[in-house]
Amino acid sequence: GEDVEQSLFLSVREGDSSVINCTYTDSSSTYLYWYKQEPGAGLQLLTYIFSNMDMKQDQRLTVLLNKKDKHLSLRIADTQTGDSAIYFCAEIQIYNQGGKLIFGQGTELSVKP
Amino acid sequence: NAGVTQTPKFQVLKTGQSMTLQCAQDMNHEYMSWYRQDPGMGLRLIHYSVGAGITDQGEVPNGYNVSRSTTEDFPLRLLSAAPSQTSVYFCASRVDSSVGETQYFGPGTRLLVL
């Protein structure tokens, strides 16, 4: 996904907060998503944010959206070893038949005990 | 509901061989798509379908064919496999192509082309 950029790796200690960053290019994106992929598994939707919001909180997860800079972040509070996974951000690109998801490269989060 | 299922889970092919990756969903979703996942490149869209009988190309369609004869099934065909097609393939579906609909992913097919 050349239109959506993420750093590839992040390492944190258990109990710390993790912040995964993402930049996107399509200013018309109406929804932005975070997906989680555990080893050997498919992608699961973690959370999403509508483009008219600048923050969304869901238990340990906080999504921040800066539309001016086209920057999206996912903060995981009190990170646990079970949070170790690859995290993908995705934007919706509009085309004449609807919307297509465009993914970033994924950020591999490693949580050390 | 079984959700999105994919078969096989693993496959090894020789260059030039053909095969079909199967994908099925039992949620009556109109929109289905195929992605490939390569290290450091995220997921790239291969082909997608907005309903039975309708398919279109995604970002990386070369070397792959699809068809959508039923709502439930969306097979991906490799007519002549190449080593560059070694990847993990994910099928996904959602209710329709509207923005905001949640997309569900299958468990993936790991393909190695020698």
Side-chain angles (χ1 to χ4, degrees), chain A residues 34-112:
Chain A
W34 284 103
Y35 280 83
K36 178 182 180 182
Q37 183 183 32
E38 295 183 348
L43 276 70
Q44 287 184 301
L45 181 65
L46 203 56
T47 187
Y48 66 93
I49 189 167
F50 190 50
S51 61
N52 69 352
M53 301 166 66
D54 52 21
M55 187 181 89
K56 179 179 179 181
Q57 188 147 4
D58 184 1
Q59 298 182 331
R60 291 191 298 123
L61 304 178
T62 303
V63 179
L64 295 177
L65 175 61
N66 180 331
K67 282 195 72 176
K68 174 176 168 289
D69 295 337
K70 298 192 185 73
H71 183 265
L72 182 74
S73 68
L74 173 70
R75 179 177 180 270
I76 305 173
D78 187 25
T79 313
Q80 303 297 307
T81 54
D83 294 324
S84 292
I86 301 177
Y87 291 81
F88 292 91
C89 67
E91 64 172 353
I92 283 275
Q93 285 190 351
I94 307 300
Y95 65 108
N96 58 5
Q97 290 177 311
K100 291 188 291 189
L101 276 179
I102 304 298
F103 287 87
Q105 308 97 314
T107 298
E108 184 174 350
L109 175 64
S110 173
V111 183
K112 301 188 186 316

Coordinates of all heavy atoms in Angstrom, one line a residue, chain A residues 34-112:
Chain A
W34 N -8.2 0.2 12.0 CA -7.0 -0.6 12.5 C -7.4 -2.0 12.5 O -8.4 -2.4 13.1 CB -6.6 -0.1 13.9 CG -5.9 1.2 13.9 CD1 -6.4 2.5 14.2 CD2 -4.5 1.4 13.5 NE1 -5.4 3.4 14.0 CE2 -4.2 2.8 13.6 CE3 -3.5 0.6 13.1 CZ2 -3.0 3.4 13.4 CZ3 -2.2 1.1 12.8 CH2 -2.0 2.5 13.0
Y35 N -6.6 -2.9 11.9 CA -6.7 -4.3 11.9 C -5.5 -4.9 12.7 O -4.4 -4.4 12.7 CB -6.7 -4.9 10.5 CG -8.0 -4.8 9.8 CD1 -8.4 -3.6 9.1 CD2 -9.0 -5.8 9.8 CE1 -9.6 -3.5 8.5 CE2 -10.2 -5.7 9.1 CZ -10.5 -4.6 8.5 OH -11.7 -4.5 7.8
K36 N -5.8 -6.1 13.3 CA -4.8 -6.8 14.1 C -4.6 -8.2 13.4 O -5.6 -8.9 13.1 CB -5.2 -7.0 15.5 CG -4.2 -7.8 16.4 CD -4.8 -7.9 17.8 CE -3.8 -8.7 18.7 NZ -4.4 -8.9 20.1
Q37 N -3.4 -8.6 13.2 CA -3.1 -9.9 12.7 C -2.2 -10.7 13.6 O -1.0 -10.3 13.8 CB -2.5 -9.8 11.3 CG -2.2 -11.2 10.7 CD -1.5 -11.1 9.3 OE1 -0.7 -10.2 9.1 NE2 -1.9 -12.0 8.4
E38 N -2.7 -11.7 14.2 CA -1.9 -12.6 15.1 C -1.2 -13.6 14.2 O -1.6 -13.9 13.1 CB -2.8 -13.2 16.2 CG -3.3 -12.2 17.1 CD -4.2 -12.7 18.2 OE1 -4.5 -13.9 18.2 OE2 -4.5 -12.0 19.2
P39 N -0.1 -14.2 14.7 CA 0.7 -15.1 13.9 C -0.1 -16.2 13.3 O -0.8 -16.9 14.0 CB 1.8 -15.6 14.9 CG 1.9 -14.5 15.9 CD 0.5 -13.9 16.1
G40 N 0.1 -16.4 12.0 CA -0.6 -17.5 11.3 C -2.1 -17.3 11.1 O -2.8 -18.2 10.7
A41 N -2.6 -16.1 11.4 CA -4.0 -15.9 11.3 C -4.4 -14.8 10.3 O -3.5 -14.1 9.8 CB -4.6 -15.5 12.7
G42 N -5.7 -14.7 10.0 CA -6.1 -13.6 9.2 C -6.2 -12.3 9.9 O -5.8 -12.2 11.1
L43 N -6.8 -11.3 9.3 CA -6.9 -10.0 9.9 C -8.2 -9.8 10.7 O -9.3 -10.3 10.2 CB -6.8 -8.9 8.9 CG -5.4 -8.4 8.5 CD1 -4.7 -9.5 7.7 CD2 -5.4 -7.1 7.7
Q44 N -8.2 -9.2 11.8 CA -9.4 -9.0 12.6 C -9.5 -7.5 12.8 O -8.5 -6.8 13.1 CB -9.3 -9.6 14.0 CG -9.5 -11.1 13.9 CD -9.5 -11.7 15.3 OE1 -8.6 -11.5 16.1 NE2 -10.6 -12.3 15.7
L45 N -10.7 -6.9 12.6 CA -11.0 -5.5 12.8 C -10.8 -5.2 14.3 O -11.5 -5.8 15.1 CB -12.4 -5.1 12.3 CG -12.7 -3.7 12.5 CD1 -11.8 -2.8 11.6 CD2 -14.2 -3.4 12.1
L46 N -10.0 -4.3 14.6 CA -9.7 -3.9 16.0 C -10.6 -2.7 16.3 O -11.4 -2.7 17.3 CB -8.3 -3.5 16.1 CG -7.6 -3.5 17.5 CD1 -7.7 -4.9 18.1 CD2 -6.1 -3.2 17.3
T47 N -10.6 -1.6 15.5 CA -11.4 -0.5 15.7 C -11.4 0.4 14.5 O -10.6 0.1 13.5 CB -10.8 0.4 16.9 OG1 -11.8 1.4 17.2 CG2 -9.5 0.9 16.7
Y48 N -12.2 1.4 14.4 CA -12.2 2.3 13.3 C -12.6 3.7 13.8 O -13.2 3.8 14.9 CB -13.2 1.8 12.2 CG -14.6 1.8 12.6 CD1 -15.4 2.9 12.3 CD2 -15.2 0.7 13.3 CE1 -16.7 2.9 12.7 CE2 -16.5 0.7 13.7 CZ -17.3 1.8 13.4 OH -18.6 1.8 13.8
I49 N -12.4 4.7 12.9 CA -12.8 6.0 13.3 C -13.4 6.7 12.0 O -12.9 6.5 10.9 CB -11.6 6.8 13.8 CG1 -12.1 8.2 14.4 CG2 -10.5 7.0 12.8 CD1 -11.0 8.9 15.3
F50 N -14.4 7.4 12.2 CA -15.1 8.1 11.2 C -14.3 9.4 11.0 O -13.8 10.0 11.9 CB -16.5 8.4 11.5 CG -17.3 8.9 10.4 CD1 -17.3 8.3 9.1 CD2 -18.2 10.0 10.6 CE1 -18.1 8.8 8.1 CE2 -18.9 10.5 9.5 CZ -18.9 9.9 8.3
S51 N -14.2 9.9 9.8 CA -13.4 11.1 9.5 C -13.8 12.4 10.1 O -13.0 13.3 10.1 CB -13.2 11.2 8.0 OG -14.5 11.5 7.4
N52 N -15.0 12.5 10.6 CA -15.4 13.7 11.3 C -15.1 13.7 12.8 O -15.5 14.6 13.5 CB -16.9 14.0 11.0 CG -17.8 13.0 11.7 OD1 -17.3 12.0 12.3 ND2 -19.1 13.3 11.7
M53 N -14.4 12.6 13.2 CA -14.0 12.5 14.6 C -12.5 12.8 14.7 O -11.8 12.6 13.7 CB -14.3 11.1 15.2 CG -15.8 10.8 15.1 SD -16.0 9.0 15.4 CE -15.5 8.8 17.1
D54 N -12.0 13.2 15.8 CA -10.6 13.3 16.0 C -10.1 12.4 17.1 O -8.8 12.2 17.2 CB -10.1 14.8 16.3 CG -10.9 15.4 17.4 OD1 -11.5 14.7 18.3 OD2 -10.9 16.6 17.5
M55 N -11.0 11.8 17.8 CA -10.5 10.8 18.8 C -11.6 9.8 19.0 O -12.8 10.1 19.0 CB -10.2 11.5 20.1 CG -9.6 10.5 21.1 SD -9.2 11.3 22.7 CE -10.7 11.0 23.6
K56 N -11.2 8.5 19.3 CA -12.2 7.5 19.6 C -11.5 6.6 20.7 O -10.3 6.2 20.5 CB -12.6 6.7 18.4 CG -13.6 5.6 18.8 CD -14.0 4.8 17.5 CE -14.9 3.7 17.9 NZ -15.3 2.9 16.7
Q57 N -12.2 6.3 21.8 CA -11.6 5.5 22.8 C -12.5 4.2 23.0 O -13.7 4.3 23.0 CB -11.5 6.2 24.1 CG -10.8 5.5 25.2 CD -10.0 6.4 26.2 OE1 -10.1 7.6 26.1 NE2 -9.3 5.9 27.1
D58 N -11.8 3.1 23.1 CA -12.5 1.8 23.3 C -11.7 1.0 24.2 O -10.7 0.3 23.8 CB -12.7 1.2 21.9 CG -13.5 -0.1 22.0 OD1 -13.9 -0.5 23.1 OD2 -13.6 -0.8 21.0
Q59 N -12.0 1.0 25.5 CA -11.3 0.3 26.5 C -9.8 0.7 26.5 O -9.5 1.9 26.7 CB -11.5 -1.2 26.4 CG -12.9 -1.6 26.5 CD -13.2 -3.1 26.5 OE1 -12.5 -3.8 25.8 NE2 -14.2 -3.5 27.1
R60 N -8.9 -0.2 26.2 CA -7.4 0.2 26.3 C -7.0 0.8 25.0 O -5.8 1.2 24.9 CB -6.6 -1.1 26.5 CG -6.8 -1.7 27.9 CD -5.7 -2.8 28.1 NE -5.8 -3.9 27.2 CZ -4.9 -4.4 26.4 NH1 -3.7 -3.7 26.4 NH2 -5.1 -5.4 25.7
L61 N -7.8 0.9 24.0 CA -7.4 1.5 22.7 C -7.9 2.9 22.6 O -9.0 3.3 22.9 CB -8.1 0.7 21.6 CG -7.8 -0.8 21.6 CD1 -8.5 -1.5 20.4 CD2 -6.3 -1.1 21.5
T62 N -7.0 3.8 22.1 CA -7.4 5.2 21.7 C -6.9 5.4 20.3 O -5.7 5.2 20.0 CB -6.7 6.2 22.7 OG1 -7.1 5.9 24.0 CG2 -7.1 7.6 22.3
V63 N -7.8 5.9 19.5 CA -7.4 6.3 18.1 C -7.5 7.8 18.0 O -8.4 8.4 18.4 CB -8.4 5.6 17.1 CG1 -8.1 6.1 15.7 CG2 -8.4 4.1 17.2
L64 N -6.4 8.3 17.5 CA -6.3 9.8 17.2 C -6.2 10.0 15.7 O -5.4 9.4 15.1 CB -5.1 10.4 18.0 CG -5.1 10.3 19.5 CD1 -3.8 10.9 20.1 CD2 -6.3 11.1 20.0
L65 N -7.0 11.0 15.3 CA -7.0 11.3 13.8 C -6.7 12.8 13.7 O -7.4 13.7 14.2 CB -8.3 11.0 13.2 CG -8.5 11.4 11.7 CD1 -7.5 10.7 10.9 CD2 -9.9 11.1 11.3
N66 N -5.6 13.1 12.9 CA -5.3 14.5 12.5 C -5.5 14.6 11.0 O -4.7 14.2 10.2 CB -3.8 14.8 12.9 CG -3.4 16.2 12.6 OD1 -3.9 16.8 11.6 ND2 -2.5 16.7 13.3
K67 N -6.7 15.1 10.7 CA -7.0 15.2 9.2 C -6.1 16.1 8.5 O -5.8 15.9 7.3 CB -8.5 15.6 9.1 CG -9.5 14.5 9.3 CD -10.8 14.8 8.8 CE -10.9 14.7 7.3 NZ -12.3 15.0 6.8
K68 N -5.7 17.2 9.1 CA -4.9 18.2 8.4 C -3.6 17.6 8.0 O -3.1 17.8 6.9 CB -4.6 19.4 9.4 CG -3.7 20.5 8.9 CD -3.6 21.6 9.8 CE -2.5 22.5 9.5 NZ -1.1 21.9 9.8
D69 N -3.0 16.8 8.9 CA -1.7 16.1 8.5 C -1.9 14.7 8.0 O -0.9 14.1 7.7 CB -0.8 16.0 9.8 CG -0.4 17.4 10.3 OD1 -0.4 18.4 9.5 OD2 -0.1 17.5 11.5
K70 N -3.1 14.3 7.8 CA -3.4 12.9 7.4 C -2.7 11.9 8.2 O -2.0 11.0 7.7 CB -3.2 12.8 5.9 CG -4.0 13.7 5.0 CD -3.8 13.3 3.5 CE -4.6 14.2 2.6 NZ -3.9 15.5 2.5
H71 N -2.8 12.0 9.5 CA -2.0 11.2 10.4 C -3.0 10.5 11.4 O -3.9 11.1 12.0 CB -1.1 12.0 11.2 CG -0.2 11.2 12.2 ND1 -0.5 11.0 13.5 CD2 0.9 10.5 11.9 CE1 0.4 10.3 14.1 NE2 1.3 9.9 13.1
L72 N -2.8 9.2 11.5 CA -3.7 8.3 12.3 C -2.8 7.6 13.3 O -1.7 7.2 12.9 CB -4.4 7.3 11.5 CG -5.4 6.4 12.1 CD1 -6.7 7.1 12.5 CD2 -5.7 5.2 11.2
S73 N -3.2 7.5 14.6 CA -2.4 6.7 15.5 C -3.3 5.8 16.4 O -4.5 6.1 16.5 CB -1.6 7.6 16.4 OG -2.4 8.4 17.3
L74 N -2.7 4.7 16.8 CA -3.4 3.8 17.7 C -2.6 3.7 19.0 O -1.4 3.3 18.9 CB -3.5 2.4 17.0 CG -4.1 1.3 17.9 CD1 -5.6 1.5 18.2 CD2 -3.9 -0.1 17.2
R75 N -3.2 4.0 20.1 CA -2.5 3.9 21.4 C -3.1 2.7 22.1 O -4.3 2.6 22.3 CB -2.6 5.2 22.2 CG -2.0 5.1 23.6 CD -2.1 6.5 24.3 NE -1.4 6.4 25.6 CZ -2.1 6.1 26.7 NH1 -3.3 5.8 26.7 NH2 -1.4 6.1 27.9
I76 N -2.2 1.8 22.6 CA -2.7 0.7 23.4 C -2.1 0.9 24.8 O -0.9 1.0 25.0 CB -2.1 -0.7 22.9 CG1 -2.5 -0.8 21.4 CG2 -2.7 -1.8 23.7 CD1 -1.9 -2.0 20.7
A77 N -3.0 1.1 25.8 CA -2.6 1.3 27.2 C -2.3 0.0 27.8 O -2.9 -1.0 27.5 CB -3.7 2.1 27.9
D78 N -1.4 0.0 28.8 CA -1.1 -1.2 29.6 C -0.9 -2.4 28.7 O -1.6 -3.4 28.7 CB -2.2 -1.4 30.6 CG -1.9 -2.6 31.5 OD1 -0.7 -2.8 31.8 OD2 -2.9 -3.2 32.0
T79 N 0.1 -2.3 27.7 CA 0.3 -3.3 26.7 C 0.6 -4.6 27.3 O 1.4 -4.7 28.3 CB 1.4 -2.9 25.8 OG1 1.2 -1.5 25.4 CG2 1.4 -3.7 24.5
Q80 N 0.0 -5.7 26.8 CA 0.2 -7.0 27.3 C 0.9 -7.9 26.3 O 0.9 -7.6 25.1 CB -1.2 -7.7 27.7 CG -2.0 -6.9 28.7 CD -1.3 -6.8 30.0 OE1 -0.9 -7.8 30.6 NE2 -1.1 -5.5 30.5
T81 N 1.5 -9.0 26.7 CA 2.1 -9.9 25.8 C 1.2 -10.4 24.7 O 1.6 -10.6 23.6 CB 2.8 -11.1 26.5 OG1 1.8 -11.8 27.3 CG2 4.0 -10.6 27.4
G82 N -0.1 -10.5 25.1 CA -1.1 -10.9 24.1 C -1.4 -9.9 23.0 O -2.1 -10.2 22.0
D83 N -0.9 -8.7 23.2 CA -1.0 -7.7 22.2 C 0.0 -7.8 21.1 O -0.1 -7.1 20.1 CB -0.9 -6.3 22.8 CG -2.1 -6.0 23.8 OD1 -3.2 -6.4 23.5 OD2 -1.8 -5.3 24.8
S84 N 1.0 -8.7 21.3 CA 2.0 -8.9 20.2 C 1.3 -9.4 18.9 O 0.7 -10.4 18.9 CB 3.1 -9.9 20.7 OG 3.8 -9.4 21.8
A85 N 1.5 -8.6 17.9 CA 0.9 -8.9 16.6 C 1.3 -7.9 15.6 O 2.1 -7.0 15.9 CB -0.7 -8.9 16.8
I86 N 0.8 -8.0 14.4 CA 1.0 -7.0 13.3 C -0.2 -6.2 13.3 O -1.3 -6.7 13.2 CB 1.4 -7.6 12.0 CG1 2.6 -8.5 12.1 CG2 1.6 -6.5 10.9 CD1 3.0 -9.2 10.8
Y87 N -0.1 -4.9 13.3 CA -1.2 -4.0 13.2 C -1.2 -3.2 11.9 O -0.2 -2.6 11.5 CB -1.1 -3.0 14.4 CG -1.4 -3.7 15.7 CD1 -0.3 -4.3 16.4 CD2 -2.6 -3.7 16.3 CE1 -0.5 -5.0 17.6 CE2 -2.8 -4.3 17.5 CZ -1.8 -5.0 18.1 OH -2.0 -5.6 19.3
F88 N -2.3 -3.3 11.2 CA -2.4 -2.6 9.9 C -3.4 -1.4 10.0 O -4.5 -1.6 10.6 CB -3.0 -3.6 8.9 CG -2.0 -4.7 8.5 CD1 -2.1 -5.9 9.2 CD2 -1.1 -4.5 7.5 CE1 -1.2 -6.9 8.8 CE2 -0.3 -5.5 7.1 CZ -0.3 -6.7 7.8
C89 N -3.0 -0.3 9.5 CA -4.1 0.7 9.3 C -4.5 0.6 7.9 O -3.8 0.1 7.0 CB -3.5 2.1 9.6 SG -2.3 2.8 8.6
A90 N -5.7 1.1 7.6 CA -6.3 1.0 6.3 C -7.2 2.2 6.1 O -7.9 2.7 7.0 CB -7.1 -0.3 6.1
E91 N -7.3 2.7 4.8 CA -8.2 3.8 4.5 C -9.1 3.3 3.4 O -8.8 2.3 2.7 CB -7.4 5.0 4.0 CG -6.7 4.8 2.7 CD -6.1 6.1 2.1 OE1 -6.4 7.2 2.6 OE2 -5.3 6.0 1.2
I92 N -10.3 4.0 3.3 CA -11.2 3.6 2.3 C -10.9 4.6 1.1 O -10.9 5.8 1.3 CB -12.7 3.8 2.8 CG1 -13.1 2.7 3.6 CG2 -13.6 4.0 1.6 CD1 -13.6 1.5 2.9
Q93 N -10.8 4.0 -0.1 CA -10.7 4.9 -1.2 C -12.0 4.7 -2.0 O -12.4 3.6 -2.3 CB -9.5 4.5 -2.1 CG -8.2 5.0 -1.5 CD -7.0 4.9 -2.4 OE1 -7.1 4.2 -3.5 NE2 -5.9 5.5 -2.1
I94 N -12.5 5.8 -2.4 CA -13.9 5.8 -3.1 C -13.6 5.6 -4.6 O -12.8 6.1 -5.2 CB -14.6 7.1 -2.9 CG1 -14.7 7.4 -1.4 CG2 -16.0 7.0 -3.5 CD1 -15.4 6.4 -0.5
Y95 N -14.4 4.7 -5.1 CA -14.4 4.5 -6.6 C -15.9 4.4 -7.0 O -16.8 4.5 -6.2 CB -13.7 3.3 -7.0 CG -14.3 2.0 -6.5 CD1 -14.9 1.1 -7.4 CD2 -14.2 1.6 -5.1 CE1 -15.5 -0.1 -6.9 CE2 -14.8 0.5 -4.7 CZ -15.4 -0.4 -5.6 OH -15.9 -1.5 -5.1
N96 N -16.2 4.3 -8.3 CA -17.6 4.5 -8.7 C -18.5 3.4 -8.3 O -19.7 3.5 -8.4 CB -17.6 4.6 -10.3 CG -17.0 3.4 -11.0 OD1 -16.6 2.5 -10.3 ND2 -16.9 3.5 -12.3
Q97 N -17.9 2.3 -7.8 CA -18.8 1.2 -7.3 C -18.8 1.1 -5.8 O -19.3 0.1 -5.3 CB -18.4 -0.1 -7.9 CG -18.7 -0.2 -9.4 CD -18.1 -1.5 -10.0 OE1 -17.0 -1.9 -9.8 NE2 -19.0 -2.2 -10.8
G98 N -18.2 2.0 -5.1 CA -18.2 1.9 -3.7 C -16.9 2.3 -3.0 O -16.3 3.3 -3.4
G99 N -16.4 1.5 -2.1 CA -15.2 1.8 -1.4 C -14.2 0.6 -1.4 O -14.7 -0.5 -1.1
K100 N -13.0 0.9 -1.5 CA -11.9 -0.2 -1.5 C -11.0 0.1 -0.3 O -10.6 1.3 -0.1 CB -11.1 -0.2 -2.7 CG -11.8 -0.7 -4.0 CD -10.9 -0.9 -5.1 CE -10.3 0.3 -5.7 NZ -9.6 0.1 -7.0
L101 N -10.7 -0.9 0.4 CA -9.7 -0.8 1.5 C -8.3 -0.8 1.0 O -7.9 -1.7 0.2 CB -9.9 -1.9 2.5 CG -10.9 -1.8 3.6 CD1 -10.9 -3.0 4.5 CD2 -10.7 -0.5 4.5
I102 N -7.5 0.2 1.4 CA -6.1 0.2 1.0 C -5.3 0.2 2.3 O -5.5 1.0 3.3 CB -5.7 1.6 0.3 CG1 -6.6 1.7 -0.9 CG2 -4.2 1.6 -0.1 CD1 -6.4 0.7 -2.0
F103 N -4.4 -0.8 2.4 CA -3.7 -1.1 3.7 C -2.3 -0.6 3.7 O -1.6 -0.4 2.6 CB -3.6 -2.6 3.9 CG -4.9 -3.3 4.2 CD1 -5.8 -3.7 3.2 CD2 -5.2 -3.5 5.6 CE1 -7.0 -4.3 3.6 CE2 -6.4 -4.1 5.9 CZ -7.3 -4.5 4.9
G104 N -1.8 -0.2 4.9 CA -0.4 0.1 5.1 C 0.4 -1.2 5.2 O -0.2 -2.3 5.0
Q105 N 1.7 -1.1 5.3 CA 2.6 -2.3 5.3 C 2.5 -3.1 6.6 O 2.9 -4.2 6.6 CB 4.0 -1.8 5.2 CG 4.3 -0.9 4.0 CD 4.4 0.5 4.5 OE1 3.5 1.0 5.2 NE2 5.3 1.3 4.1
G106 N 1.9 -2.5 7.6 CA 1.8 -3.3 8.9 C 2.9 -2.9 9.8 O 4.1 -2.8 9.4
T107 N 2.6 -2.8 11.1 CA 3.6 -2.5 12.2 C 3.6 -3.8 13.1 O 2.6 -4.1 13.7 CB 3.3 -1.3 13.0 OG1 3.3 -0.2 12.1 CG2 4.3 -1.1 14.1
E108 N 4.8 -4.4 13.2 CA 4.9 -5.6 14.1 C 5.2 -5.1 15.5 O 6.3 -4.5 15.7 CB 6.0 -6.5 13.6 CG 6.2 -7.8 14.4 CD 7.1 -8.7 13.8 OE1 7.6 -8.5 12.7 OE2 7.5 -9.7 14.5
L109 N 4.3 -5.3 16.4 CA 4.5 -4.9 17.8 C 5.0 -6.1 18.6 O 4.4 -7.2 18.6 CB 3.1 -4.5 18.3 CG 3.1 -4.2 19.9 CD1 4.0 -3.0 20.2 CD2 1.7 -3.9 20.3
S110 N 6.1 -5.9 19.2 CA 6.7 -6.9 20.1 C 6.6 -6.5 21.5 O 7.1 -5.4 21.8 CB 8.1 -7.2 19.7 OG 8.8 -8.1 20.6
V111 N 6.0 -7.3 22.4 CA 5.8 -6.9 23.8 C 6.7 -7.8 24.6 O 6.5 -9.0 24.7 CB 4.4 -7.0 24.2 CG1 4.2 -6.5 25.7 CG2 3.5 -6.2 23.3
K112 N 7.7 -7.2 25.3 CA 8.6 -8.0 26.1 C 8.2 -8.0 27.6 O 7.8 -6.9 28.1 CB 10.0 -7.4 26.0 CG 10.5 -7.4 24.6 CD 12.0 -7.0 24.5 CE 12.4 -6.8 23.0 NZ 11.9 -7.9 22.2

